[in-house]
Amino acid sequence: MIWTADLDFKFTYVSPSVKLMLGYTVDDFIRLNPKELFTPDSYKLIIRHFKKSIMEISEHLYNDSEHFSSVFEIEMIANDGKKIWTEIKINHLFDFNKKLIGILAVTREISQRKLMEMEKNKIHMQLLQAQKMEAVGILAGGVAHDFNNVITTINGNVELCEKKLEPSNPVLMYLKQIKNAVKSAMNLTRQLKLFSRKQSLEMKIININDVIKNIIEILNRVIGEDIVINMHLDDDIWSVRADVGNFEQVFMNLTINSRDAMPEGGFIKIITKNVELTETDCTKYSFLFPGSYVLISVSDTGCGIEEKDKNHIFEPFFTTKSSEMGTGLGLAVVYSIVKQHQGVILVESELKKGSTFNIYLPALPVAPDEDIVEHINFDMLHGDGERILIVEDEKGVRDYVLKLLAESGYTPIIAKDYTEAKDICDKINYQIEMVFCDVVLPDKNGIYLVKELRKIKKNLKVIYTSGYPESKNKILSQNDSKEDTFLQKPYSTYQLLSTIKNTLKPDTEN
């Protein structure tokens, strides 16, 4: 399409192809106010180029060296209101006396090309976001590892103190406060590991109400003072098989999503109840099957979700929020977790009234697993002088394990890395029964150390430990012995002593 405009930027000519591109007749186009033909941003752009072209030559006579040409992309508005991307090349227009009288524009539609470019840019931004999230995930995993060492040291020394005190000693109350703080810190590291995608699922039978009650204080801090959370939890809720940390993440993400939908405040309602779905019920939702379910419902009084977006909200990187507010991963993570638990998540929403996310988890007709209360008779875990080589690069953890094993009847020997451990074994002629070894060491890793030690002492008992949860998979893939044990940091005094005791048992007893 070719068109011309005078020095006042009024259209003076357009080629008949305007009908095909924009749906206007020639006469209708000529009568148009240019502001009606371009989107506001495009109008500003073309006026800027137009003025620049006028300033280049203005009243001067035409000269080849001063010939002006400009190419740029703008959005034009068709007769039916549709926006069309076009590429425009503007040239000067002169009369027979070579005097500037306006501009001549050659225009072609590039909507398809622009669509492909936008899609390419979208994929590129998603890739950048994924790389950014991966980098943050790696950082989170590293922080979790370091934090696990600190927690192991604090918790271990608190438990050593508890063992030395009489039950009536008032200091125990303060130690209990420290242990409660340690538990909170352990939950934090678990969230970090979930974020870094390096936390393996720890499925157990739970009461979902307990998960909600335990995380509600954190949720209230996240949403702010202008949003109120109301809970309606069924007292007789059925059990479900789930990973507690994963569902803490589910509630966190759904609550943050509701908060962002209510910038001026509002209400969030969390409901749990038992439901029996019949075949008739399941005809509404193709993903559900008849049976017993625990329904978890999280609803808000926010802005709601547009109908066109409902089918995309669980897609990774899809978001209707600004880049400052969302990554488009929150609901995708929720969907992934629910699916891993053989559950189904459905959304109901109405614009300006709010949204409701309904999660259906298969119910179990059994009581929740009880957490082990560690009222332990530590005499049963006492050693008999066995020599245990402790290889740990973190001094706080190393000192704690050394004290614990020495007080528990073992003969501990400490080393901070592969080189020191190997030298010690050479000096004592490998007279050790067990190695308690961190997988990650400053010089060589613990798996390599054990392989070297077993060249001399083939029946050596081994317990690996690490603050990195993926280390267990590394051991399974690289280790030759299936008898070796892995103890995840942070571990308690009971966990460490019972693991040592079980590992030291003769093979006939294991």
Side-chain angles (χ1 to χ4, degrees):
M1 181 180 81
I2 299 172
W3 55 272
T4 62
D6 61 20
L7 296 176
D8 294 321
F9 201 58
K10 292 181 179 179
F11 299 126
T12 54
Y13 168 82
V14 67
S15 62
S17 55
V18 67
K19 182 69 175 178
L20 185 62
M21 182 181 290
L22 299 175
Y24 292 105
T25 64
V26 170
D27 291 339
D28 286 342
F29 184 91
I30 298 295
R31 286 194 293 266
L32 276 176
N33 183 327
K35 285 188 176 181
E36 300 176 79
L37 187 62
F38 306 99
T39 61
D41 288 342
S42 293
Y43 179 74
K44 291 176 185 176
L45 179 64
I46 198 168
I47 288 296
R48 187 163 68 246
H49 281 271
F50 175 74
K51 288 180 178 179
K52 183 179 179 182
S53 71
I54 300 301
M55 289 173 63
E56 286 282 324
I57 295 183
S58 189
E59 299 294 331
H60 299 295
L61 292 178
Y62 173 71
N63 184 299
D64 285 340
S65 63
E66 295 174 336
H67 180 61
F68 176 88
S69 180
S70 180
V71 180
F72 50 94
E73 297 172 357
I74 60 172
E75 274 188 298
M76 301 183 77
I77 303 172
N79 195 24
D80 60 2
K82 183 180 177 183
K83 295 176 182 177
I84 297 173
W85 274 102
T86 62
E87 180 184 81
I88 293 184
K89 182 178 181 180
I90 289 181
N91 291 282
H92 291 131
L93 187 63
F94 299 91
D95 63 13
F96 291 110
N97 297 318
K98 295 184 178 182
K99 185 177 181 180
L100 180 68
I101 59 172
I103 59 166
L104 180 145
V106 179
T107 306
R108 66 188 182 100
E109 185 178 352
I110 57 167
S111 296
Q112 193 62 34
R113 189 187 83 188
K114 200 69 179 176
L115 186 65
M116 291 173 66
E117 287 177 359
M118 286 164 50
E119 189 63 29
K120 183 179 177 181
N121 287 336
K122 180 182 176 183
I123 293 170
H124 178 65
M125 292 305 296
Q126 288 178 353
L127 178 61
L128 288 177
Q129 184 65 36
Q131 290 172 336
K132 193 160 54 175
M133 295 298 289
E134 182 182 5
V136 174
I138 292 169
L139 175 63
V143 170
H145 165 263
D146 293 341
F147 211 39
N148 276 337
N149 279 325
V150 174
I151 292 171
T152 302
T153 303
I154 296 171
N155 192 64
N157 282 284
V158 166
E159 291 181 339
L160 284 175
C161 291
E162 287 179 326
K163 286 178 65 181
K164 295 178 182 295
L165 297 175
E166 294 294 328
S168 59
N169 195 309
V171 173
L172 286 172
M173 179 181 68
Y174 301 110
L175 294 178
K176 186 179 179 181
Q177 294 283 349
I178 296 173
K179 289 189 77 172
N180 288 338
V182 166
K183 284 182 180 178
S184 297
M186 287 169 67
N187 288 333
L188 175 60
T189 59
R190 204 164 189 281
Q191 292 294 330
L192 285 171
K193 288 185 283 186
L194 274 170
F195 186 76
S196 66
R197 299 183 182 180
K198 292 178 178 178
Q199 175 66 46
S200 55
L201 289 177
E202 295 179 12
M203 305 290 277
K204 62 180 183 178
I205 300 170
I206 65 168
N207 181 324
I208 201 69
N209 289 351
D210 293 339
V211 179
I212 298 169
K213 291 173 184 175
N214 289 337
I215 200 175
I216 190 65
E217 187 177 337
I218 297 174
L219 298 182
N220 278 318
R221 284 203 297 267
V222 167
I223 61 175
E225 296 179 355
D226 55 350
I227 296 175
V228 177
I229 298 180
N230 294 317
M231 296 191 298
H232 302 275
L233 310 181
D234 191 330
D235 292 334
D236 300 315
I237 200 72
W238 292 327
S239 300
V240 295
R241 184 173 173 78
D243 179 287
V244 172
N246 268 239
F247 266 86
E248 288 175 345
Q249 189 73 53
V250 166
F251 290 119
M252 180 70 73
N253 289 8
L254 289 178
T255 302
I256 290 172
N257 189 72
S258 293
R259 178 201 66 186
D260 293 345
M262 300 184 291
E264 297 179 4
F267 295 90
I268 296 174
K269 185 186 291 184
I270 301 177
I271 299 173
T272 63
K273 63 180 180 179
N274 303 322
V275 293
E276 288 280 0
L277 296 182
T278 64
E279 288 190 11
T280 305
D281 295 326
C282 295
T283 55
K284 302 175 189 175
Y285 311 111
S286 58
F287 301 108
L288 287 169
F289 299 93
S292 303
Y293 291 86
V294 168
L295 171 61
I296 306 162
S297 178
V298 180
S299 58
D300 61 58
T301 56
C303 59
I305 304 167
E306 290 192 42
E307 196 66 35
K308 65 181 179 65
D309 295 330
K310 285 184 182 178
N311 291 331
H312 303 288
I313 58 172
F314 297 119
E315 295 174 4
F317 302 108
F318 178 83
T319 180
T320 57
K321 306 172 189 175
S322 65
S323 58
E324 291 81 13
M325 288 188 67
T327 61
L329 288 173
L331 291 179
V333 169
V334 170
Y335 179 84
S336 176
I337 290 173
V338 172
K339 191 174 180 182
Q340 280 182 305
H341 288 74
Q342 283 76 54
V344 172
I345 181 167
L346 304 169
V347 61
E348 299 173 3
S349 186
E350 191 173 343
L351 284 177
K352 298 182 180 179
K353 290 191 176 181
S355 303
T356 300
F357 290 88
N358 292 317
I359 298 172
Y360 292 85
L361 295 179
L364 297 174
V366 292
D369 295 335
E370 291 186 7
D371 292 332
I372 297 174
V373 179
E374 296 185 11
H375 297 302
I376 307 298
N377 180 0
F378 282 96
D379 292 337
M380 300 290 293
L381 302 176
H382 214 264
D384 194 23
E386 294 92 342
R387 302 183 95 184
I388 299 176
L389 177 62
I390 304 162
V391 190
E392 170 63 60
D393 60 311
E394 186 67 34
K395 186 179 185 301
V397 178
R398 189 168 65 240
D399 291 346
Y400 150 61
V401 176
L402 173 66
K403 285 183 285 186
L404 174 63
L405 297 194
E407 292 178 6
S408 301
Y410 295 102
T411 305
I413 305 163
I414 59 171
K416 66 178 180 298
D417 54 28
Y418 165 87
T419 304
E420 190 174 356
K422 192 73 169 58
D423 289 344
I424 289 171
C425 287
D426 289 338
K427 288 176 184 176
I428 64 174
N429 199 25
Y430 291 79
Q431 295 302 305
I432 54 174
E433 280 71 48
M434 174 185 284
V435 175
F436 180 58
C437 181
D438 199 327
V439 175
V440 181
L441 296 171
D443 40 11
K444 290 184 170 67
N445 68 48
I447 300 171
Y448 181 80
L449 170 64
V450 168
K451 287 181 178 179
E452 290 297 300
L453 298 183
R454 278 186 170 147
K455 289 179 181 178
I456 308 297
K457 185 155 185 160
K458 297 187 183 300
N459 63 342
L460 186 63
K461 304 282 188 178
V462 176
I463 300 174
Y464 292 104
T465 186
S466 179
Y468 289 110
E470 71 272 23
S471 292
K472 186 174 183 179
N473 294 329
K474 188 175 182 181
I475 292 166
L476 291 173
S477 63
Q478 296 184 16
N479 194 27
D480 298 329
S481 174
K482 294 182 180 179
E483 303 297 325
D484 297 343
T485 306
F486 178 78
L487 187 59
Q488 176 72 53
K489 292 178 182 176
Y491 45 77
S492 67
T493 295
Y494 167 72
Q495 288 172 325
L496 177 54
L497 291 179
S498 61
T499 303
I500 290 173
K501 196 73 174 175
N502 289 330
T503 306
L504 282 172
K505 284 180 183 178
D507 292 338
T508 54
E509 294 183 37
N510 281 323

